[in-house]
Amino acid sequence: NAGVTQTPKFQVLKTGQSMTLQCAQDMNHNSMYWYRQDPGMGLRLIYYSASEGTTDKGEVPNGYNVSRLNKREFSLRLESAAPSQTSVYFCASSEGVGHRELFFGEGSRLTVL
Amino acid sequence: AQSVTQLGSHVSVSEGALVLLRCNYSSSVPPYLFWYVQYPNQGLQLLLKYTSAATLVKGINGFEAEFKKSETSFHLTKPSAHMSDAAEYFCAVSPFGNEKLTFGTGTRLTIIP
């Protein structure tokens, strides 16, 4: 059982380039999330999708877009990467928003030069 | 708005000693509280959660946490540290259990042989 799978695991971009982080879950979860993790700042929510067909902004959405492609897949796009977006990105899923357990992917380390 | 504060970004304990990681929350409504653990180069995984059923919550790997409303705290403890406990630990809160989680900034636990 793969759980939550993120690709790519590592990426280096130049300022202004675009890229998409892919996330897929095989647990039939309704809700999916994108977080970024930065030293000393913990995890901050970028966007989430409470259910298929819906997306909402989190704490730090600027510079990002998301697509809930279907129930399994939730992608995060950087249209014009900036050095401030250098971070480790985590996708997570849960049965629903709130008190249900989050299941995380292994993370995608992005460096923007 | 709900939030959690983790006191001490780094904690070091000797192998076999008590582990105590501190978490205080602020929430205007009854909170659901969580501890997640992140091992090196991995995503987060749930350690334990409080959902108002019992104030002392037992989790995986011998960890437990006690909800103290009067102190607005949810500290994580383990009687005897093991080398395998070295990781980063995150406290998180969801008010009512119906909203997305807000994470603390994390505490990195180092075990001294």
Side-chain angles (χ1 to χ4, degrees), chain A residues 4-43:
Chain A
V4 179
T5 303
Q6 295 180 228
T7 55
K9 290 192 182 338
F10 300 93
Q11 184 73 48
V12 178
L13 292 177
K14 294 181 179 179
T15 297
Q17 288 185 319
S18 63
M19 76 158 299
T20 299
L21 297 176
Q22 306 285 356
C23 176
Q25 54 92 6
D26 62 3
M27 295 172 282
N28 200 36
H29 284 166
N30 291 311
S31 304
M32 298 186 73
Y33 313 79
W34 277 105
Y35 288 89
R36 61 177 288 172
Q37 183 178 25
D38 302 290
M41 304 193 75
L43 273 79

Side-chain angles (χ1 to χ4, degrees), chain B residues 42-112:
Chain B
Q42 294 186 25
L44 282 70
Q45 61 185 85
L46 182 67
L47 204 53
L48 51 81
K49 68 177 181 181
Y50 166 76
T51 58
S52 76
T55 57
L56 183 63
V57 182
K58 294 187 183 298
I60 60 173
N61 301 335
F63 283 92
E64 62 182 36
E66 186 173 8
F67 174 72
K68 292 187 176 180
K69 185 177 179 181
S70 60
E71 299 178 7
T72 61
S73 69
F74 190 58
H75 301 332
L76 182 70
T77 60
K78 182 175 181 178
S80 177
H82 191 273
M83 295 300 294
S84 61
D85 296 327
E88 189 154 19
Y89 293 79
F90 293 91
C91 185
V93 63
S94 170
F96 277 135
N98 292 328
E99 296 189 19
K100 52 195 181 296
L101 293 186
T102 298
F103 285 87
T105 53
T107 298
R108 184 170 299 279
L109 176 65
T110 300
I111 310 299
I112 303 166

